[in-house]
Amino acid sequence: MEAVSDITSQAGTALPLLRIDGVGKRFGGFTAVDGVSLDIRPGEFFALLGPSGCGKTTLLRMLAGFETPDSGRILLNGEDVAGTPPHLRPVNMMFQNYALFPHLSVRDNIAFGLRRAGMRRAEINARVAELVALVRLEGLEKRRPEQLSGGQRQRVALARAVARRPRLLLLDEPLAALDKKLRDSTQRELKALQRTLGLTFIVVTHDQDEAMTLADRIGVMNAGQLVQVATPRQLYETPRSRWVAEFVGDINIIEGRITTREAGRLRLTTGGAGELAATLPPEFGDAAEVCVAVRPEKIRLSLRPPVDDPAGGAINRLEGTVRDVGYLGSASSYTVALDGGASLRVSLANAARLYADAYAVGQRVTAWFSPDDCIVLDR
Amino acid sequence: MSGRNLFTRPARLAAIAPYGWMVLFFLVPFGFVLKLSLSQVANAQPPYLPVFDLSAGWRALVAAASVLSLDNFRLLLSDDLYLAAGLRSLTVAATATALLLLLGYPVAYAMSRLPRRFQPLAMMLVIVPFWTSFLIRVYAWINILQHDGLLNQVLLALHVVSAPVVWLSTDTAMYIGMVYSYLPFMILPLYATLSKLDPSLCEAAADLGSSPLQSFWRVTLPLSLPGIGAGALLCFIPLVGEFVIPDLLAGSDAPMIGQTLWLEFFTNRDWPVAAATAVMLLAILLLPLVIYDRFQRRQMVRP
Ligand SMILES: Nc1ncnc2c1ncn2[C@@H]1O[C@H](COP(=O)(O)OP(=O)(O)OP(=O)(O)O)[C@@H](O)[C@H]1O
Ligand SMILES: [Mg+2]
């Protein structure tokens, strides 16, 4: 369709495909979306991550035109879409509850949007066949939605949503009902589809791994607000706030206060883990009461304390006892009770098949990590 | 086997009860009517022959049964009067059902779109007329439609007409009466289907490029077909046999089948012909039921 060439011609310019400008939505006295601003570039794969009820669906519904924002503007290609009804927006949505037409077959569900676009019959047939193959529903074309499994329904909804190749595709939990294998392959295909067609995706997901693997950028929402927008790596390694650090992935949080602050290095005293050294993050304010966050896989364990590294950057060494061991397949997770009183989660890769767990419950160990692996955050 | 054992005795009884009900209140009376339709008129009590005398034993019963004949049905098929009445009943009922659908659908649709908390109130308003006797309501219409009735007064006052219009004893009056009386039977099943319709389906249709009109045509209407079918049947079937409304509001030149039946029964005292008419009516009405049933089955399982 035309939309494809339009998008590729714009990809060079810096103009955002979508600009969300201070958009808010209230239901009665309850604020569902609170002053969200965001630019989406053409061809981008953007993921929205956030706890249940934080306003993700509401935000998507405003983009699709089913809810009217109470404040702010939504610009698509620089044009305010406030007055544009849903059926005239170059946006398609995959609904969280799929919203498949129960009276139509799989085929007719997928072809629905193409028929409305006035496509020729032969073209429709070709496109539908392509989509059916893409979501692996061959042989089920004549079935009605109620004759499909949950995962199959989800794939029909996905195929129906991408059928028109919209400039902007909104997907509300597109893969939640698929099993892991199918989810992995569908993820790859979704990404390939998005690349080859040059589509722009906004995907809502609960699944952090999914957001990490798929997205160019991730927006984290909490209580109606967009609290951080970053690439997956930035989000994981430099979360902006304690809430984001705790929400994304697994993390140890140790509260403490800064004692000295010199040449990019901080020294802290903590209640549960004694003295710690951390690298001073850029643009850090002058708060003294802070917390240090360390990802479990950044911490190593050994029987004896390690010698200091040659560069002279003091490594954090914490003595403790293994309290719990969890075997997770690719890695094992250890809970170490530090002598200082805090408890630390540590993840070690199971690098060889014949290894037993390196440390047993009750083993005295030293947990150690570099100051660079400490994320210093306001409390 | 294990599935059957799940049904305890009371449960099995509950499953049989509707059939018992059907046999007792439908099949047995229908058997009487069928027998009557195969009998002959007689000038005595009861006004037909033969009478089954159960005390005279099996032989007498067989002898009586051998006298039964299809003469009444032959008469019905040969006399234009009955055919004309039957045809008129069908066309009147079909027209009235179409009018009911045209009027009832928008009302039911609007009701289903009301905020949830107002919907019970709307439903009450639809049902409220049932609190008065049907007959009284039809008489009220006579009052409204008569020469110096309310309708003519209003029309005259608004200068829509210059002289009173004749409403009573016309088909218009009959259709007004029918649509008025049967509207709840059309609205309620339609409302039941429409209110169950998932609003996100219309959103999905809009999202895929359907204008509101197209969404209605492609999604809402097809999904409300079961309600349309139920409402149409609920109105059409009693309308075919309707007696009171055409008798009170329509002219007397072209009677409906129900009126013919009444005439045979009470005026001519020809019970057998009246019974034959009733059996014919039932046979005709089975047709739309069978079609509806087929349609429902196809809706449920489609390969
Ligand atoms: N029509 C509505 N009327 C009143 N409140 C609503 C309405 N729609 C959503 N809400 C509320 O707004 C908040 C955000 O809802 P939303 O559906 O956007 O959450 P979500 O982030 O998509 O959650 P989930 O991950 O569970 O799907 C919720 O607290 C919800 O109860
Ligand atoms: Mg949601």
Side-chain angles (χ1 to χ4, degrees):
Chain A
M1 276 195 299
E2 257 62 67
V4 179
S5 54
D6 273 17
I7 284 180
T8 36
S9 69
Q10 276 170 7
T13 74
L15 195 77
L17 174 72
L18 173 72
R19 165 160 288 172
I20 303 171
D21 187 10
V23 161
K25 177 74 187 174
R26 303 171 65 80
F27 292 112
F30 176 80
T31 307
V33 173
D34 188 5
V36 168
S37 293
L38 179 66
D39 278 358
I40 303 285
R41 294 186 289 266
E44 190 172 19
F45 200 125
F46 191 89
L48 265 182
L49 204 58
S52 189
C54 69
K56 307 180 294 288
T57 299
T58 308
L59 184 60
L60 286 202
R61 288 175 57 79
M62 288 192 283
L63 300 182
F66 302 128
E67 307 278 2
T68 340
D70 296 326
S71 57
R73 295 182 311 159
I74 296 170
L75 305 175
L76 203 61
N77 271 323
E79 265 178 57
D80 196 329
V81 293
T84 315
H87 69 280
L88 298 178
R89 294 192 187 190
V91 170
N92 279 150
M93 172 148 168
M94 178 184 160
F95 290 73
Q96 194 166 7
N97 66 352
Y98 317 148
L100 296 177
F101 303 120
H103 59 302
L104 297 181
S105 65
V106 167
R107 223 194 103 76
D108 291 338
N109 261 287
I110 298 176
F112 191 94
L114 303 176
R115 298 222 169 96
R116 300 293 90 72
M119 226 185 199
R120 282 209 316 280
R121 183 175 289 264
E123 262 180 284
I124 292 180
N125 289 344
R127 178 76 64 86
V128 170
E130 191 182 303
L131 289 163
V132 164
L134 177 73
V135 294
R136 303 205 196 139
L137 287 168
E138 293 102 333
L140 304 179
E141 294 95 331
K142 294 215 171 90
R143 295 236 191 130
R144 303 274 197 106
E146 85 242 15
Q147 298 166 316
L148 300 175
S149 75
Q152 289 167 340
R153 280 179 211 172
Q154 195 163 49
R155 279 136 69 197
V156 178
L158 182 60
R160 189 180 70 174
V162 295
R164 284 162 68 100
R165 300 196 179 150
R167 295 167 173 218
L168 179 61
L169 187 61
L170 312 171
L171 302 114
D172 203 346
E173 312 253 356
L175 309 179
L178 304 186
D179 64 60
K180 179 148 172 44
K181 273 253 148 53
L182 195 58
R183 183 188 315 203
D184 287 348
S185 60
T186 315
Q187 275 176 6
R188 272 197 301 277
E189 270 148 13
L190 210 57
K191 188 90 182 172
L193 189 81
Q194 184 251 350
R195 286 247 175 80
T196 49
L197 299 178
L199 305 184
T200 309
F201 279 20
I202 301 183
V203 178
V204 164
T205 175
H206 267 120
D207 183 343
Q208 303 188 358
D209 292 342
E210 187 169 291
M212 296 276 176
T213 32
L214 289 179
D216 299 319
R217 285 190 306 157
I218 299 175
V220 182
M221 279 186 80
N222 183 30
Q225 290 179 326
L226 201 55
V227 287
Q228 185 168 8
V229 178
T231 64
R233 177 176 293 276
Q234 282 172 345
L235 193 65
Y236 190 76
E237 307 293 2
T238 38
R240 186 187 286 163
S241 68
R242 178 173 176 170
W243 188 87
V244 174
E246 286 183 309
F247 181 74
V248 178
D250 201 2
I251 205 156
N252 296 293
I253 303 269
I254 305 158
E255 294 189 351
R257 73 189 324 267
I258 296 175
T259 48
T260 65
R261 182 173 183 156
E262 63 197 21
R265 182 59 55 94
L266 293 176
R267 298 208 71 87
L268 309 96
T269 45
T270 66
E275 295 279 313
L276 286 182
T279 304
L280 180 68
E283 299 163 28
F284 191 75
D286 42 32
E289 303 287 329
V290 294
C291 59
V292 175
V294 196
R295 300 275 179 201
E297 75 280 359
K298 306 279 194 291
I299 306 176
R300 269 161 293 172
L301 296 179
S302 55
L303 293 175
R304 277 185 305 272
V307 263
D308 254 342
D309 55 334
I315 291 179
N316 294 304
R317 301 181 202 79
L318 305 168
E319 306 282 324
T321 310
V322 175
R323 278 280 168 261
D324 190 34
V325 182
Y327 176 72
L328 304 172
S330 62
S332 285
S333 140
Y334 300 85
T335 307
V336 178
L338 299 179
D339 296 344
S343 154
L344 218 53
R345 272 191 318 286
V346 181
S347 167
L348 298 180
N350 289 321
R353 191 164 67 88
L354 299 178
Y355 276 6
D357 282 324
Y359 306 99
V361 173
Q363 176 78 49
R364 291 287 303 167
V365 290
T366 303
W368 49 282
F369 49 91
S370 140
D372 288 332
D373 288 330
C374 297
I375 309 161
V376 183
L377 297 166
D378 283 335
R379 279 221 190 134
Chain B
M1 181 186 117
S2 57
R4 281 202 170 217
N5 287 343
L6 284 178
F7 290 102
T8 55
R9 198 159 291 177
R12 235 177 282 165
L13 213 66
I16 293 170
Y19 295 102
W21 187 271
M22 283 284 285
V23 168
L24 197 64
F25 292 105
F26 176 72
L27 275 185
V28 171
F30 180 71
F32 290 154
V33 172
L34 191 64
K35 190 258 149 194
L36 201 54
S37 73
L38 300 170
S39 308
Q40 305 298 326
V41 241
N43 286 324
Q45 278 295 343
Y48 54 85
L49 275 176
V51 177
F52 287 155
D53 185 2
L54 293 177
S55 61
W58 181 246
R59 229 162 234 288
L61 213 62
V62 172
S66 65
V67 186
L68 294 177
S69 78
L70 289 170
D71 282 354
N72 295 320
F73 290 95
R74 278 191 207 106
L75 171 75
L76 288 190
L77 290 177
S78 63
D79 194 333
D80 279 352
L81 176 76
Y82 301 105
L83 284 181
L87 220 58
R88 172 161 162 87
S89 295
L90 289 178
T91 42
V92 165
T95 312
T97 305
L99 291 173
L100 279 160
L101 200 56
L102 282 180
L103 205 68
Y105 200 101
V107 176
Y109 187 83
M111 276 170 67
S112 72
R113 289 299 125 113
L114 280 177
R116 282 270 162 217
R117 63 208 146 99
F118 293 133
Q119 290 191 13
L121 182 74
M123 189 122 100
M124 276 297 294
L125 290 178
V126 170
I127 299 174
V128 136
F130 280 117
W131 289 1
T132 331
S133 147
F134 165 67
L135 214 55
I136 290 179
R137 283 180 286 134
V138 175
Y139 277 117
W141 272 108
I142 295 184
N143 232 301
I144 295 171
L145 296 174
Q146 67 198 3
H147 187 74
D148 51 356
L150 192 63
L151 182 60
N152 274 336
Q153 285 176 21
V154 169
L155 289 181
L156 285 171
L158 293 176
H159 299 289
V160 180
V161 295
S162 50
V165 183
V166 178
W167 297 107
L168 272 186
S169 303
T170 64
D171 278 4
T172 313
M174 176 184 67
Y175 284 125
I176 291 176
M178 286 179 164
V179 168
Y180 165 78
S181 305
Y182 282 84
L183 202 54
F185 296 108
M186 183 58 91
I187 289 178
L188 292 181
L190 279 174
Y191 166 73
T193 343
L194 285 170
S195 66
K196 268 185 292 180
L197 211 76
D198 182 355
S200 70
L201 291 179
C202 279
E203 289 180 350
D207 189 64
L208 294 166
S210 305
S211 66
L213 202 67
Q214 283 172 323
S215 297
F216 175 79
W217 193 247
R218 303 269 168 198
V219 177
T220 312
L221 193 64
L223 286 174
S224 56
L225 277 180
I228 293 177
L233 271 191
L234 226 50
C235 294
F236 180 78
I237 289 181
L239 273 171
V240 171
E242 182 59 56
F243 164 74
V244 174
I245 299 173
D247 211 54
L248 292 181
L249 294 177
S252 53
D253 43 337
M256 283 175 66
I257 196 99
Q259 292 168 280
T260 318
L261 204 153
W262 194 90
L263 214 70
E264 292 296 349
F265 211 89
F266 294 103
T267 313
N268 293 351
R269 276 181 67 79
D270 190 341
W271 288 21
V273 167
T277 313
V279 171
M280 286 284 258
L281 190 58
L282 186 76
I284 294 170
L285 292 182
L286 277 180
L287 195 71
L289 270 178
V290 169
I291 295 173
Y292 181 71
D293 189 57
R294 277 285 155 81
F295 171 76
Q296 284 261 306
R297 268 164 217 263
R298 220 190 35 209
Q299 285 269 307
M300 269 188 268
V301 274
R302 196 181 243 191

XYZ file of all heavy atoms in Angstrom, chain A residues 61 64 66 86-87 91-93 95 97 99-103 112-113 116 142 144 146-147 160 164, chain B residues 198 200-201 203-212 214 218-219 222-223 298-303:
393
model
N -5.560 3.544 23.434
C -6.916 3.846 22.951
C -7.045 5.304 22.535
O -7.807 5.633 21.627
C -7.956 3.495 24.021
C -8.138 1.989 24.197
C -9.072 1.676 25.348
N -10.376 2.297 25.198
C -11.334 1.815 24.420
N -11.143 0.705 23.768
N -12.488 2.436 24.315
N -5.526 5.474 19.088
C -6.386 4.891 18.064
C -7.652 5.708 17.856
O -8.334 5.553 16.852
C -6.753 3.459 18.444
N -10.247 5.980 20.292
C -11.423 5.504 21.024
C -11.678 6.284 22.294
O -12.750 6.201 22.879
C -11.289 4.021 21.350
C -11.104 3.179 20.143
C -10.071 2.285 20.048
C -11.970 3.313 19.062
C -9.890 1.514 18.915
C -11.803 2.561 17.926
C -10.761 1.664 17.849
N -11.756 7.331 14.554
C -10.873 6.160 14.464
C -10.747 5.585 13.051
O -9.666 5.207 12.638
C -11.544 5.139 15.385
C -12.392 5.929 16.301
C -12.745 7.203 15.610
N -11.887 5.549 12.310
C -11.808 4.842 11.028
C -11.040 5.619 9.973
O -10.732 5.081 8.918
C -13.200 4.440 10.528
C -14.076 5.585 10.106
N -14.758 6.358 10.998
C -14.376 6.056 8.885
C -15.447 7.264 10.342
N -15.236 7.111 9.063
N -3.942 4.315 11.612
C -3.419 3.614 12.773
C -4.249 2.347 12.922
O -5.451 2.382 12.721
C -3.617 4.486 14.035
C -3.319 3.712 15.290
C -2.787 5.742 13.963
N -3.632 1.233 13.227
C -4.398 0.032 13.540
C -4.008 -0.458 14.912
O -2.912 -0.194 15.387
C -4.175 -1.075 12.514
C -5.034 -0.868 11.277
O -4.668 -1.246 10.191
N -6.182 -0.220 11.440
N -4.941 -1.175 15.525
C -4.711 -1.604 16.894
C -5.030 -3.086 17.019
O -5.996 -3.566 16.444
C -5.621 -0.791 17.815
C -5.635 -1.250 19.236
S -5.881 0.172 20.315
C -6.214 -0.646 21.843
N -6.304 -5.499 19.761
C -6.956 -5.318 21.049
C -6.500 -6.350 22.065
O -6.195 -7.488 21.722
C -8.472 -5.402 20.883
C -9.049 -4.235 20.160
C -8.866 -4.093 18.796
C -9.755 -3.266 20.835
C -9.383 -3.015 18.122
C -10.284 -2.181 20.168
C -10.099 -2.054 18.813
N -8.283 -7.838 24.239
C -9.196 -8.996 24.273
C -9.456 -9.527 22.862
O -10.432 -10.211 22.626
C -10.502 -8.623 24.957
C -11.294 -7.596 24.165
O -10.796 -7.054 23.181
N -12.520 -7.343 24.554
N -11.000 -8.905 20.287
C -12.152 -8.354 19.575
C -12.290 -8.919 18.169
O -12.511 -8.197 17.210
C -12.078 -6.815 19.526
N -12.187 -10.231 18.040
C -12.413 -10.864 16.732
C -13.911 -10.875 16.441
O -14.724 -10.984 17.355
C -11.876 -12.290 16.742
C -10.367 -12.414 16.930
C -9.972 -13.878 16.998
C -9.620 -11.699 15.819
N -14.259 -10.794 15.160
C -15.673 -10.821 14.792
C -16.168 -12.262 14.856
O -15.737 -13.103 14.070
C -15.868 -10.248 13.395
C -15.336 -8.858 13.268
C -14.346 -8.558 12.355
C -15.804 -7.848 14.084
C -13.839 -7.275 12.242
C -15.305 -6.562 13.994
C -14.322 -6.274 13.066
N -17.097 -12.559 15.781
C -17.471 -13.960 15.993
C -18.233 -14.552 14.808
O -18.274 -15.765 14.660
C -18.356 -13.912 17.240
C -18.765 -12.502 17.399
C -17.745 -11.647 16.725
N -18.835 -13.707 13.969
C -19.645 -14.249 12.878
C -18.821 -14.440 11.607
O -19.356 -14.864 10.596
C -20.824 -13.326 12.603
C -20.427 -11.929 12.220
N -19.649 -11.125 13.032
C -20.672 -11.200 11.117
C -19.455 -9.964 12.448
N -20.048 -9.986 11.283
N -11.040 -8.290 6.660
C -12.031 -7.238 6.953
C -11.509 -5.841 6.603
O -12.157 -5.092 5.875
C -12.411 -7.308 8.437
C -13.597 -6.467 8.803
C -14.866 -7.006 8.832
C -13.445 -5.123 9.131
C -15.960 -6.239 9.175
C -14.539 -4.347 9.474
C -15.796 -4.907 9.493
N -10.338 -5.510 7.127
C -9.790 -4.181 6.904
C -9.399 -3.951 5.449
O -9.483 -2.832 4.936
N -12.479 -3.062 3.464
C -12.889 -1.674 3.694
C -11.991 -0.717 2.939
O -12.389 0.361 2.556
C -12.863 -1.320 5.180
C -13.760 -2.150 6.074
C -15.231 -1.932 5.815
N -15.755 -2.845 4.813
C -15.950 -4.154 5.016
N -15.679 -4.690 6.155
N -16.426 -4.911 4.059
N -11.086 -21.375 7.536
C -12.549 -21.376 7.477
C -13.172 -21.423 8.858
O -14.387 -21.339 8.997
C -13.027 -22.576 6.662
C -12.635 -22.482 5.197
C -13.720 -23.073 4.304
C -13.456 -22.804 2.841
N -12.661 -23.866 2.219
N -14.387 -20.456 12.682
C -14.844 -19.257 13.377
C -13.990 -19.071 14.628
O -13.468 -20.048 15.160
C -16.297 -19.434 13.828
C -17.248 -19.739 12.714
C -17.729 -18.467 12.093
N -18.922 -18.742 11.327
C -20.133 -18.408 11.706
N -20.314 -17.789 12.845
N -21.165 -18.671 10.953
N -14.651 -18.879 17.697
C -14.950 -19.713 18.874
C -14.418 -21.133 18.706
O -14.405 -21.900 19.655
C -16.457 -19.726 19.167
C -17.248 -20.742 18.380
C -18.287 -20.099 17.478
O -18.197 -18.873 17.265
O -19.178 -20.817 17.000
N -13.996 -21.479 17.491
C -13.448 -22.820 17.275
C -11.929 -22.833 17.347
O -11.301 -23.772 16.882
C -13.898 -23.341 15.901
C -15.407 -23.471 15.783
C -15.858 -23.656 14.355
O -15.379 -22.985 13.463
N -16.785 -24.571 14.153
N -4.854 -9.733 11.609
C -5.849 -8.748 11.201
C -5.314 -7.329 11.395
O -5.578 -6.442 10.586
C -7.129 -8.950 12.029
C -8.291 -8.124 11.554
C -9.509 -8.358 12.398
N -9.359 -7.792 13.736
C -10.324 -7.767 14.635
N -11.502 -8.290 14.359
N -10.115 -7.236 15.817
N -3.450 -4.270 7.110
C -3.521 -3.022 6.340
C -2.180 -2.304 6.265
O -2.083 -1.248 5.646
C -4.559 -2.083 6.966
C -5.986 -2.486 6.648
C -6.948 -1.829 7.610
N -7.040 -0.393 7.437
C -8.024 0.200 6.783
N -8.971 -0.511 6.241
N -8.054 1.509 6.686
N -20.454 -7.109 22.307
C -19.224 -6.534 22.852
C -18.914 -5.213 22.134
O -18.707 -5.212 20.927
C -18.098 -7.551 22.622
C -16.776 -7.079 23.182
O -16.714 -5.939 23.663
O -15.821 -7.870 23.127
N -16.358 -3.563 21.980
C -15.035 -3.489 21.359
C -15.068 -4.039 19.931
O -14.162 -3.760 19.142
C -13.991 -4.224 22.196
O -14.184 -5.608 22.147
N -16.118 -4.787 19.572
C -16.217 -5.262 18.187
C -16.439 -4.100 17.236
O -15.872 -4.049 16.150
C -17.358 -6.271 18.048
C -17.125 -7.606 18.743
C -18.321 -8.513 18.565
C -15.871 -8.268 18.217
N -15.519 -1.068 17.863
C -14.259 -0.334 17.846
C -13.288 -0.988 16.884
O -12.601 -0.303 16.114
C -13.659 -0.297 19.253
C -14.428 0.602 20.194
C -13.827 0.644 21.588
O -12.929 -0.172 21.878
O -14.257 1.474 22.384
N -13.239 -2.320 16.916
C -12.334 -3.034 16.005
C -12.720 -2.742 14.558
O -11.855 -2.506 13.711
C -12.378 -4.531 16.285
N -14.023 -2.737 14.285
C -14.467 -2.459 12.919
C -14.055 -1.046 12.505
O -13.551 -0.835 11.405
C -15.981 -2.629 12.821
N -14.246 -0.084 13.411
C -13.854 1.294 13.106
C -12.347 1.370 12.890
O -11.866 2.021 11.959
C -14.273 2.227 14.239
N -11.623 0.659 13.741
C -10.167 0.668 13.644
C -9.714 0.148 12.287
O -8.713 0.600 11.741
C -9.596 -0.215 14.756
C -8.097 -0.078 14.867
O -7.650 1.028 15.192
O -7.386 -1.061 14.598
N -10.469 -0.809 11.742
C -10.102 -1.399 10.456
C -10.720 -0.626 9.292
O -10.819 -1.145 8.186
C -10.528 -2.863 10.416
C -9.775 -3.750 11.412
C -10.450 -5.084 11.586
C -8.335 -3.934 10.968
N -11.188 0.586 9.561
C -11.591 1.469 8.469
C -13.067 1.524 8.163
O -13.453 2.052 7.129
N -13.927 0.976 9.033
C -15.359 1.048 8.755
C -15.936 2.344 9.295
O -15.709 2.680 10.458
C -16.101 -0.102 9.426
O -15.561 -1.321 9.057
N -16.718 3.015 8.473
C -17.467 4.156 8.970
C -18.530 3.615 9.921
O -18.813 2.423 9.899
C -18.127 4.878 7.800
O -19.095 4.043 7.223
N -19.131 4.480 10.749
C -20.151 3.966 11.679
C -21.249 3.178 10.965
O -21.694 2.140 11.460
C -20.709 5.249 12.306
C -19.569 6.212 12.253
C -18.820 5.889 10.990
N -20.983 1.473 8.116
C -20.440 0.173 7.706
C -20.291 -0.762 8.898
O -20.554 -1.955 8.792
C -19.072 0.352 7.037
C -19.160 0.858 5.621
C -17.783 1.197 5.073
O -16.928 1.701 5.784
N -17.574 0.922 3.801
N -21.909 -4.330 8.870
C -21.044 -5.504 8.780
C -20.914 -6.235 10.107
O -20.547 -7.394 10.120
C -19.630 -5.098 8.351
C -19.567 -4.378 7.063
C -19.377 -5.347 5.935
N -19.604 -4.679 4.674
C -19.841 -5.317 3.544
N -19.887 -6.630 3.552
N -20.040 -4.653 2.443
N -21.146 -5.549 11.198
C -20.887 -6.180 12.496
C -22.158 -6.237 13.349
O -22.641 -7.313 13.698
C -19.763 -5.438 13.254
C -19.550 -6.060 14.619
C -18.476 -5.492 12.445
N -25.347 -8.216 11.502
C -25.217 -9.676 11.450
C -25.210 -10.328 12.829
O -25.787 -11.403 12.998
C -23.885 -9.923 10.747
C -23.401 -8.632 10.262
C -24.261 -7.546 10.766
N -24.620 -9.650 13.801
C -24.549 -10.264 15.122
C -25.878 -10.182 15.858
O -26.087 -10.872 16.849
C -23.436 -9.613 15.951
C -22.034 -10.033 15.526
C -20.987 -9.250 16.285
C -21.830 -11.520 15.728
N -27.074 -23.645 11.916
C -25.967 -23.277 11.044
C -25.076 -22.255 11.739
O -23.863 -22.276 11.612
C -26.495 -22.708 9.733
C -25.671 -23.195 8.565
C -26.016 -22.464 7.300
N -26.354 -21.088 7.539
C -27.191 -20.406 6.781
N -27.760 -20.988 5.768
N -27.438 -19.141 7.037
N -25.716 -21.367 12.504
C -24.947 -20.374 13.252
C -24.003 -21.050 14.239
O -22.901 -20.606 14.467
C -25.904 -19.474 14.046
C -26.620 -18.484 13.183
C -25.847 -17.203 13.099
O -25.497 -16.627 14.102
N -25.567 -16.759 11.898
N -24.507 -22.157 14.845
C -23.733 -22.769 15.918
C -22.543 -23.557 15.394
O -21.446 -23.392 15.869
C -24.631 -23.650 16.774
C -25.214 -22.874 17.932
S -26.072 -23.939 19.045
C -27.705 -23.890 18.435
N -22.772 -24.435 14.434
C -21.634 -25.204 13.897
C -21.480 -24.931 12.414
O -22.343 -25.230 11.614
C -21.827 -26.721 14.101
C -21.343 -27.124 15.460
C -23.255 -27.128 13.882
N -20.388 -24.331 12.094
C -20.081 -24.147 10.686
C -18.686 -24.712 10.478
O -17.783 -24.394 11.227
C -20.132 -22.653 10.343
C -20.209 -22.436 8.848
C -20.242 -20.956 8.600
N -21.490 -20.566 7.968
C -21.650 -19.356 7.466
N -20.716 -18.460 7.557
N -22.762 -19.035 6.893
N -18.525 -25.575 9.477
C -17.215 -26.231 9.313
C -16.093 -25.231 9.072
O -16.328 -24.199 8.489
C -17.411 -27.131 8.094
C -18.598 -26.590 7.375
C -19.477 -25.977 8.419
